[in-house]
Amino acid sequence: MRTPLVAGNWKMNGSHELTRDLLTGLEAGLDPADRAEIMVLPPFPYLTLARSLLVDSAIRLGAQDLSTRPDGAFTGDVSAAMLSDCGCSAVLVGHSERRTLHGETDEVVAEKFSAALAAGLLPILCVGETLEQREQGQTEAVVSRQLAAVLQSAGIAALAQAVVAYEPVWAIGTGRTATPLQAQEVHAAIRAQMSAEDATIGGQVRVLYGGSVKADNAAEIFAQQDIDGGLIGGASLSAESFLAIYRAANQSF
Ligand code: 13P
């Protein structure tokens, strides 16, 4: 049984005030009976405040990006060890906004994945196709290529300590979500690709869906066989909607 995970990617949103209000609100809404995992991914400047608010909390802390390098003269970059030092136990790698806006290639993403693992962080590897690629029937080829870059460099055993997030680029922030079946199809292909290398690991790795997940569509998405929770953008900025999505994940066991 894979434990569902609901992770909130705040992207470049927030402030000290929002961090305090949101985390206090989330904490107040948790139920001791909850079995799904919950995680927040604030921007770098708010990680230490988040850590101080989440002492003894069930809410895990993660970051949105990291450097491929361990330390040195890399102005503006943040290393995996720094994230760990700031209380993070996870980090996104290869989010489509990084791939598109910062030119991150599959190779760079694979390096980031390994840098995260080496520091003991859980990498959440994001993959997904653009609208143009979907319309040209390239969805599975694109996602498979993105996953293969990490499989080739880190190996299937490394995936056992990671999470994959399928985020169709055309569904991110657009209000246009993939249908549960469209998402399930790609999730099944991702799992099959991992299972072809190691059936046990392929069956264990959590594959999250991301892209316009909201309180009112989460339950039907999470009900799909190969969907193990969600990576939530906009709806993670309100405690009420993020908790409603988290509730849906708890009911999807
Ligand atoms: P939205 O939920 O705002 O569509 O964002 C999804 C996403 O990119 C999460 O990483």
Side-chain angles (χ1 to χ4, degrees), residues 81-136:
M82 291 172 184
L83 296 180
S84 177
D85 194 31
C86 289
C88 292
S89 64
V91 62
L92 297 183
V93 296
H95 191 281
S96 65
E97 286 149 18
R98 303 290 319 169
R99 292 180 190 260
T100 309
L101 303 171
H102 296 269
E104 288 188 13
T105 60
D106 288 343
E107 290 66 35
V108 167
V109 172
E111 282 181 49
K112 291 189 172 191
F113 182 97
S114 294
L117 265 189
L121 296 172
L122 174 84
I124 302 176
L125 170 67
C126 303
V127 297
E129 82 289 0
T130 63
L131 183 58
E132 194 184 3
Q133 289 165 333
R134 173 162 284 264
E135 284 173 346
Q136 289 172 358

Short mmCIF file of all heavy atoms in Angstrom, two decimals, residues 81-136:
data_model
loop_
_atom_site.label_atom_id
_atom_site.label_comp_id
_atom_site.label_asym_id
_atom_site.label_seq_id
_atom_site.Cartn_x
_atom_site.Cartn_y
_atom_site.Cartn_z
N ALA A 81 22.52 20.54 1.14
CA ALA A 81 22.87 20.51 2.56
C ALA A 81 22.24 21.70 3.30
O ALA A 81 21.82 21.58 4.45
CB ALA A 81 24.39 20.53 2.72
N MET A 82 22.17 22.86 2.61
CA MET A 82 21.54 24.03 3.25
C MET A 82 20.05 23.77 3.49
O MET A 82 19.51 24.14 4.53
CB MET A 82 21.69 25.26 2.35
CG MET A 82 23.09 25.77 2.25
SD MET A 82 23.13 27.06 0.98
CE MET A 82 24.88 27.42 0.98
N LEU A 83 19.41 23.13 2.53
CA LEU A 83 17.98 22.84 2.68
C LEU A 83 17.76 21.90 3.86
O LEU A 83 16.85 22.11 4.69
CB LEU A 83 17.43 22.21 1.40
CG LEU A 83 17.47 23.10 0.16
CD1 LEU A 83 16.90 22.36 -1.04
CD2 LEU A 83 16.71 24.40 0.40
N SER A 84 18.62 20.91 3.94
CA SER A 84 18.51 19.97 5.04
C SER A 84 18.76 20.70 6.37
O SER A 84 18.03 20.51 7.35
CB SER A 84 19.55 18.89 4.77
OG SER A 84 19.58 17.99 5.78
N ASP A 85 19.74 21.60 6.38
CA ASP A 85 20.07 22.39 7.57
C ASP A 85 18.89 23.29 7.97
O ASP A 85 18.75 23.66 9.14
CB ASP A 85 21.31 23.24 7.22
CG ASP A 85 21.97 23.85 8.43
OD1 ASP A 85 21.91 23.22 9.52
OD2 ASP A 85 22.55 24.94 8.31
N CYS A 86 18.07 23.67 7.00
CA CYS A 86 16.91 24.53 7.28
C CYS A 86 15.66 23.73 7.60
O CYS A 86 14.56 24.29 7.65
CB CYS A 86 16.62 25.44 6.08
SG CYS A 86 17.85 26.73 5.87
N GLY A 87 15.80 22.42 7.76
CA GLY A 87 14.66 21.61 8.20
C GLY A 87 13.90 20.94 7.08
O GLY A 87 12.85 20.32 7.33
N CYS A 88 14.39 21.03 5.85
CA CYS A 88 13.69 20.35 4.75
C CYS A 88 14.02 18.86 4.74
O CYS A 88 15.16 18.47 4.99
CB CYS A 88 14.13 20.93 3.40
SG CYS A 88 13.60 22.61 3.14
N SER A 89 13.02 18.07 4.37
CA SER A 89 13.30 16.65 4.16
C SER A 89 13.02 16.27 2.71
O SER A 89 13.15 15.11 2.34
CB SER A 89 12.46 15.80 5.12
OG SER A 89 11.09 15.97 4.84
N ALA A 90 12.64 17.23 1.89
CA ALA A 90 12.29 16.94 0.50
C ALA A 90 12.56 18.16 -0.37
O ALA A 90 12.68 19.27 0.15
CB ALA A 90 10.81 16.55 0.41
N VAL A 91 12.62 17.93 -1.67
CA VAL A 91 12.82 19.06 -2.60
C VAL A 91 12.27 18.68 -3.98
O VAL A 91 12.40 17.53 -4.41
CB VAL A 91 14.32 19.45 -2.67
CG1 VAL A 91 15.19 18.31 -3.20
CG2 VAL A 91 14.53 20.72 -3.51
N LEU A 92 11.65 19.65 -4.63
CA LEU A 92 11.20 19.42 -6.01
C LEU A 92 12.41 19.45 -6.94
O LEU A 92 13.31 20.27 -6.75
CB LEU A 92 10.26 20.54 -6.48
CG LEU A 92 8.93 20.73 -5.76
CD1 LEU A 92 8.14 21.85 -6.44
CD2 LEU A 92 8.12 19.44 -5.77
N VAL A 93 12.42 18.61 -7.93
CA VAL A 93 13.42 18.73 -9.00
C VAL A 93 12.71 18.65 -10.35
O VAL A 93 11.81 17.84 -10.55
CB VAL A 93 14.56 17.67 -8.92
CG1 VAL A 93 15.38 17.84 -7.65
CG2 VAL A 93 14.04 16.26 -9.00
N GLY A 94 13.11 19.54 -11.23
CA GLY A 94 12.59 19.49 -12.59
C GLY A 94 11.18 19.99 -12.75
O GLY A 94 10.47 19.57 -13.69
N HIS A 95 10.73 20.87 -11.86
CA HIS A 95 9.39 21.45 -12.09
C HIS A 95 9.38 22.10 -13.47
O HIS A 95 10.37 22.69 -13.90
CB HIS A 95 9.06 22.48 -11.00
CG HIS A 95 7.62 22.89 -11.05
ND1 HIS A 95 7.14 23.81 -11.96
CD2 HIS A 95 6.55 22.47 -10.33
CE1 HIS A 95 5.84 23.94 -11.78
NE2 HIS A 95 5.45 23.15 -10.81
N SER A 96 8.25 22.03 -14.14
CA SER A 96 8.21 22.54 -15.53
C SER A 96 8.55 24.03 -15.59
O SER A 96 9.08 24.50 -16.60
CB SER A 96 6.84 22.28 -16.15
OG SER A 96 5.86 23.01 -15.48
N GLU A 97 8.26 24.76 -14.51
CA GLU A 97 8.61 26.20 -14.54
C GLU A 97 10.12 26.39 -14.49
O GLU A 97 10.66 27.36 -15.03
CB GLU A 97 7.88 26.93 -13.39
CG GLU A 97 6.39 27.08 -13.71
CD GLU A 97 5.45 27.06 -12.52
OE1 GLU A 97 5.90 27.27 -11.38
OE2 GLU A 97 4.25 26.82 -12.74
N ARG A 98 10.83 25.48 -13.86
CA ARG A 98 12.31 25.51 -13.87
C ARG A 98 12.82 25.08 -15.25
O ARG A 98 13.75 25.65 -15.80
CB ARG A 98 12.91 24.59 -12.80
CG ARG A 98 12.48 24.83 -11.38
CD ARG A 98 13.01 26.09 -10.76
NE ARG A 98 14.38 26.39 -11.08
CZ ARG A 98 14.97 27.56 -10.80
NH1 ARG A 98 14.29 28.53 -10.19
NH2 ARG A 98 16.23 27.77 -11.12
N ARG A 99 12.20 24.03 -15.78
CA ARG A 99 12.66 23.54 -17.09
C ARG A 99 12.45 24.62 -18.14
O ARG A 99 13.34 24.88 -18.97
CB ARG A 99 11.87 22.27 -17.50
CG ARG A 99 12.16 21.03 -16.63
CD ARG A 99 11.33 19.85 -17.13
NE ARG A 99 11.35 18.70 -16.25
CZ ARG A 99 12.11 17.61 -16.41
NH1 ARG A 99 12.93 17.52 -17.43
NH2 ARG A 99 12.03 16.61 -15.56
N THR A 100 11.28 25.26 -18.12
CA THR A 100 10.95 26.22 -19.17
C THR A 100 11.61 27.57 -18.95
O THR A 100 12.24 28.11 -19.86
CB THR A 100 9.42 26.43 -19.22
OG1 THR A 100 8.81 25.16 -19.29
CG2 THR A 100 9.00 27.23 -20.43
N LEU A 101 11.48 28.12 -17.74
CA LEU A 101 11.93 29.49 -17.51
C LEU A 101 13.41 29.58 -17.18
O LEU A 101 14.01 30.64 -17.29
CB LEU A 101 11.12 30.12 -16.37
CG LEU A 101 9.59 30.13 -16.57
CD1 LEU A 101 8.88 30.57 -15.31
CD2 LEU A 101 9.22 31.04 -17.74
N HIS A 102 14.01 28.48 -16.75
CA HIS A 102 15.42 28.50 -16.39
C HIS A 102 16.25 27.52 -17.23
O HIS A 102 17.39 27.23 -16.90
CB HIS A 102 15.59 28.21 -14.90
CG HIS A 102 14.97 29.28 -14.04
ND1 HIS A 102 15.68 30.38 -13.60
CD2 HIS A 102 13.71 29.45 -13.60
CE1 HIS A 102 14.87 31.17 -12.90
NE2 HIS A 102 13.67 30.63 -12.89
N GLY A 103 15.64 27.01 -18.26
CA GLY A 103 16.37 26.16 -19.20
C GLY A 103 16.96 24.90 -18.60
O GLY A 103 17.99 24.42 -19.06
N GLU A 104 16.32 24.36 -17.58
CA GLU A 104 16.87 23.14 -16.99
C GLU A 104 16.64 21.95 -17.93
O GLU A 104 15.50 21.62 -18.27
CB GLU A 104 16.23 22.86 -15.62
CG GLU A 104 16.71 23.84 -14.57
CD GLU A 104 16.23 23.48 -13.16
OE1 GLU A 104 15.74 22.36 -12.93
OE2 GLU A 104 16.38 24.35 -12.29
N THR A 105 17.73 21.33 -18.31
CA THR A 105 17.64 20.17 -19.21
C THR A 105 17.41 18.89 -18.39
O THR A 105 17.56 18.90 -17.16
CB THR A 105 18.97 20.00 -19.96
OG1 THR A 105 19.99 19.81 -18.97
CG2 THR A 105 19.30 21.23 -20.80
N ASP A 106 17.12 17.82 -19.07
CA ASP A 106 16.97 16.53 -18.39
C ASP A 106 18.24 16.18 -17.62
O ASP A 106 18.19 15.59 -16.54
CB ASP A 106 16.71 15.41 -19.42
CG ASP A 106 15.31 15.49 -20.01
OD1 ASP A 106 14.44 16.17 -19.43
OD2 ASP A 106 15.12 14.87 -21.08
N GLU A 107 19.40 16.55 -18.17
CA GLU A 107 20.68 16.23 -17.52
C GLU A 107 20.83 17.00 -16.22
O GLU A 107 21.26 16.46 -15.20
CB GLU A 107 21.86 16.54 -18.46
CG GLU A 107 21.98 15.61 -19.66
CD GLU A 107 20.82 15.74 -20.67
OE1 GLU A 107 20.29 16.87 -20.86
OE2 GLU A 107 20.42 14.70 -21.23
N VAL A 108 20.50 18.29 -16.27
CA VAL A 108 20.58 19.12 -15.05
C VAL A 108 19.62 18.58 -13.99
O VAL A 108 19.96 18.47 -12.81
CB VAL A 108 20.27 20.60 -15.37
CG1 VAL A 108 20.05 21.42 -14.11
CG2 VAL A 108 21.40 21.20 -16.20
N VAL A 109 18.42 18.23 -14.43
CA VAL A 109 17.43 17.70 -13.49
C VAL A 109 17.95 16.41 -12.85
O VAL A 109 17.82 16.21 -11.64
CB VAL A 109 16.08 17.47 -14.22
CG1 VAL A 109 15.08 16.74 -13.32
CG2 VAL A 109 15.50 18.80 -14.70
N ALA A 110 18.58 15.57 -13.65
CA ALA A 110 19.14 14.33 -13.11
C ALA A 110 20.24 14.62 -12.10
O ALA A 110 20.36 13.96 -11.06
CB ALA A 110 19.67 13.44 -14.25
N GLU A 111 21.05 15.64 -12.36
CA GLU A 111 22.10 16.02 -11.39
C GLU A 111 21.49 16.52 -10.10
O GLU A 111 21.97 16.23 -9.01
CB GLU A 111 22.99 17.12 -11.98
CG GLU A 111 24.02 16.62 -12.99
CD GLU A 111 24.88 17.79 -13.51
OE1 GLU A 111 25.37 18.57 -12.69
OE2 GLU A 111 25.00 17.90 -14.74
N LYS A 112 20.44 17.32 -10.22
CA LYS A 112 19.77 17.83 -9.03
C LYS A 112 19.16 16.69 -8.21
O LYS A 112 19.20 16.68 -6.99
CB LYS A 112 18.69 18.86 -9.41
CG LYS A 112 19.30 20.15 -9.94
CD LYS A 112 18.28 21.26 -10.13
CE LYS A 112 19.02 22.56 -10.46
NZ LYS A 112 18.15 23.74 -10.42
N PHE A 113 18.59 15.74 -8.93
CA PHE A 113 17.99 14.57 -8.28
C PHE A 113 19.05 13.87 -7.42
O PHE A 113 18.83 13.56 -6.25
CB PHE A 113 17.46 13.62 -9.36
CG PHE A 113 16.76 12.40 -8.84
CD1 PHE A 113 15.37 12.37 -8.72
CD2 PHE A 113 17.47 11.27 -8.48
CE1 PHE A 113 14.72 11.24 -8.25
CE2 PHE A 113 16.83 10.14 -8.00
CZ PHE A 113 15.45 10.12 -7.89
N SER A 114 20.22 13.65 -8.00
CA SER A 114 21.29 12.94 -7.27
C SER A 114 21.84 13.79 -6.12
O SER A 114 22.17 13.26 -5.06
CB SER A 114 22.42 12.55 -8.23
OG SER A 114 21.93 11.61 -9.14
N ALA A 115 21.92 15.11 -6.34
CA ALA A 115 22.41 16.00 -5.27
C ALA A 115 21.45 15.94 -4.08
O ALA A 115 21.88 15.93 -2.92
CB ALA A 115 22.53 17.43 -5.79
N ALA A 116 20.16 15.90 -4.36
CA ALA A 116 19.16 15.83 -3.28
C ALA A 116 19.31 14.53 -2.50
O ALA A 116 19.40 14.53 -1.27
CB ALA A 116 17.75 15.94 -3.87
N LEU A 117 19.39 13.43 -3.24
CA LEU A 117 19.52 12.12 -2.58
C LEU A 117 20.77 12.03 -1.74
O LEU A 117 20.75 11.51 -0.63
CB LEU A 117 19.59 11.02 -3.65
CG LEU A 117 18.31 10.32 -4.05
CD1 LEU A 117 18.65 9.15 -4.94
CD2 LEU A 117 17.52 9.84 -2.83
N ALA A 118 21.88 12.56 -2.28
CA ALA A 118 23.16 12.48 -1.57
C ALA A 118 23.09 13.21 -0.23
O ALA A 118 23.81 12.86 0.71
CB ALA A 118 24.28 13.06 -2.44
N ALA A 119 22.22 14.22 -0.14
CA ALA A 119 22.10 14.97 1.12
C ALA A 119 20.98 14.40 1.99
O ALA A 119 20.63 14.98 3.02
CB ALA A 119 21.83 16.44 0.82
N GLY A 120 20.41 13.29 1.58
CA GLY A 120 19.37 12.66 2.39
C GLY A 120 17.99 13.27 2.21
O GLY A 120 17.09 13.04 3.01
N LEU A 121 17.83 14.07 1.16
CA LEU A 121 16.51 14.66 0.90
C LEU A 121 15.70 13.74 -0.01
O LEU A 121 16.28 13.00 -0.82
CB LEU A 121 16.67 16.02 0.19
CG LEU A 121 17.37 17.13 0.97
CD1 LEU A 121 17.61 18.33 0.06
CD2 LEU A 121 16.56 17.54 2.19
N LEU A 122 14.39 13.81 0.10
CA LEU A 122 13.51 13.07 -0.80
C LEU A 122 13.31 13.91 -2.06
O LEU A 122 12.70 14.98 -1.99
CB LEU A 122 12.15 12.87 -0.11
CG LEU A 122 11.04 12.24 -0.96
CD1 LEU A 122 11.16 10.72 -0.94
CD2 LEU A 122 9.65 12.67 -0.45
N PRO A 123 13.82 13.47 -3.21
CA PRO A 123 13.55 14.25 -4.42
C PRO A 123 12.14 13.96 -4.95
O PRO A 123 11.72 12.81 -4.99
CB PRO A 123 14.61 13.75 -5.42
CG PRO A 123 15.35 12.65 -4.75
CD PRO A 123 14.65 12.29 -3.49
N ILE A 124 11.45 15.02 -5.31
CA ILE A 124 10.15 14.87 -5.97
C ILE A 124 10.38 15.27 -7.42
O ILE A 124 10.51 16.46 -7.74
CB ILE A 124 9.07 15.75 -5.31
CG1 ILE A 124 8.94 15.38 -3.82
CG2 ILE A 124 7.72 15.60 -6.04
CD1 ILE A 124 7.95 16.26 -3.04
N LEU A 125 10.51 14.27 -8.27
CA LEU A 125 10.87 14.49 -9.67
C LEU A 125 9.63 14.83 -10.48
O LEU A 125 8.71 14.01 -10.61
CB LEU A 125 11.52 13.21 -10.23
CG LEU A 125 11.74 13.20 -11.75
CD1 LEU A 125 12.79 14.23 -12.16
CD2 LEU A 125 12.14 11.79 -12.22
N CYS A 126 9.60 16.05 -11.05
CA CYS A 126 8.44 16.48 -11.83
C CYS A 126 8.66 16.20 -13.32
O CYS A 126 9.73 16.51 -13.86
CB CYS A 126 8.20 17.97 -11.64
SG CYS A 126 7.99 18.45 -9.93
N VAL A 127 7.64 15.63 -13.93
CA VAL A 127 7.68 15.36 -15.37
C VAL A 127 6.35 15.79 -15.97
O VAL A 127 5.35 15.90 -15.25
CB VAL A 127 7.93 13.85 -15.65
CG1 VAL A 127 9.28 13.39 -15.13
CG2 VAL A 127 6.82 12.98 -15.04
N GLY A 128 6.34 16.04 -17.26
CA GLY A 128 5.07 16.40 -17.89
C GLY A 128 5.27 17.02 -19.25
O GLY A 128 6.32 17.60 -19.53
N GLU A 129 4.24 16.90 -20.08
CA GLU A 129 4.31 17.37 -21.45
C GLU A 129 3.61 18.71 -21.63
O GLU A 129 2.71 19.06 -20.85
CB GLU A 129 3.68 16.32 -22.39
CG GLU A 129 2.15 16.36 -22.51
CD GLU A 129 1.40 15.89 -21.26
OE1 GLU A 129 2.05 15.52 -20.27
OE2 GLU A 129 0.15 15.90 -21.29
N THR A 130 3.98 19.45 -22.66
CA THR A 130 3.28 20.69 -23.00
C THR A 130 2.02 20.35 -23.81
O THR A 130 1.85 19.20 -24.26
CB THR A 130 4.16 21.60 -23.87
OG1 THR A 130 4.42 20.91 -25.10
CG2 THR A 130 5.48 21.96 -23.19
N LEU A 131 1.19 21.36 -24.01
CA LEU A 131 -0.04 21.15 -24.79
C LEU A 131 0.31 20.72 -26.22
O LEU A 131 -0.28 19.79 -26.78
CB LEU A 131 -0.87 22.43 -24.81
CG LEU A 131 -2.20 22.32 -25.53
CD1 LEU A 131 -3.07 21.23 -24.91
CD2 LEU A 131 -2.95 23.65 -25.50
N GLU A 132 1.32 21.38 -26.78
CA GLU A 132 1.73 21.06 -28.15
C GLU A 132 2.19 19.59 -28.24
O GLU A 132 1.82 18.86 -29.17
CB GLU A 132 2.88 22.00 -28.53
CG GLU A 132 3.18 22.02 -30.00
CD GLU A 132 4.38 22.91 -30.32
OE1 GLU A 132 5.01 23.45 -29.38
OE2 GLU A 132 4.70 23.02 -31.51
N GLN A 133 2.97 19.18 -27.26
CA GLN A 133 3.44 17.79 -27.26
C GLN A 133 2.27 16.82 -27.12
O GLN A 133 2.23 15.78 -27.78
CB GLN A 133 4.47 17.59 -26.13
CG GLN A 133 5.79 18.29 -26.44
CD GLN A 133 6.69 18.44 -25.22
OE1 GLN A 133 6.24 18.49 -24.09
NE2 GLN A 133 7.99 18.52 -25.46
N ARG A 134 1.30 17.16 -26.28
CA ARG A 134 0.13 16.27 -26.14
C ARG A 134 -0.63 16.19 -27.46
O ARG A 134 -1.01 15.11 -27.91
CB ARG A 134 -0.79 16.74 -25.00
CG ARG A 134 -2.09 15.95 -24.94
CD ARG A 134 -2.81 16.08 -23.63
NE ARG A 134 -2.22 15.30 -22.55
CZ ARG A 134 -2.62 14.09 -22.19
NH1 ARG A 134 -3.61 13.48 -22.82
NH2 ARG A 134 -2.04 13.44 -21.20
N GLU A 135 -0.82 17.35 -28.08
CA GLU A 135 -1.60 17.37 -29.33
C GLU A 135 -0.89 16.61 -30.44
O GLU A 135 -1.52 16.11 -31.36
CB GLU A 135 -1.91 18.81 -29.73
CG GLU A 135 -3.04 19.38 -28.85
CD GLU A 135 -3.30 20.87 -29.04
OE1 GLU A 135 -2.44 21.54 -29.66
OE2 GLU A 135 -4.35 21.33 -28.57
N GLN A 136 0.42 16.53 -30.34
CA GLN A 136 1.17 15.77 -31.35
C GLN A 136 1.32 14.30 -30.96
O GLN A 136 2.12 13.57 -31.56
CB GLN A 136 2.54 16.41 -31.57
CG GLN A 136 2.43 17.76 -32.29
CD GLN A 136 3.75 18.50 -32.34
OE1 GLN A 136 4.76 18.03 -31.79
NE2 GLN A 136 3.76 19.66 -32.97
#
